[in-house]
Amino acid sequence: MPKTNFLHKVFHLYYDGFRNMTLGRTLWAIILIKLFIMFAILKVFFFPSFVGQHADEGDEPEFVASQMLDR
C-alpha cells in the first residue's frame, strides 16, 4: 500500500497547488492559447500537406520512401 499512499500524496500536492494559484491560472491560460495558435492556426497556413499534394491517392508510403531514398 505504500504506492497508493505515494500517489495519493502526489495527487494532493498538485490539487492543492493548482487550487490555490492566482497568477498561475492566468499564465496557464496564456500558455494554452499560445499552444493552440502554434498547432492549430499556424499549421494550417504555413505547413501544407506536401505528401498529399504530390502523391497519388493510396500511394503515399511509396512516395515517402522514394523521397527518403533519393536524398
Side-chain angles (χ1 to χ4, degrees), residues 11-69:
F11 171 76
H12 279 289
L13 173 75
Y14 282 104
Y15 180 75
D16 290 338
F18 281 112
R19 185 179 54 175
N20 295 326
M21 277 196 301
T22 56
L23 178 64
R25 289 183 187 183
T26 307
L27 295 176
W28 274 107
I30 292 170
I31 290 169
L32 293 175
I33 290 168
K34 287 175 73 173
L35 286 172
F36 175 75
I37 290 171
M38 285 191 309
F39 289 112
I41 297 173
L42 291 179
K43 183 186 180 307
V44 171
F45 292 112
F46 294 109
F47 302 108
S49 176
F50 183 80
V51 175
Q53 292 175 354
H54 292 88
D56 296 331
E57 185 69 30
D59 195 31
E60 292 90 357
E62 290 81 13
F63 175 76
V64 172
S66 68
Q67 291 296 313
M68 290 178 68
L69 293 174

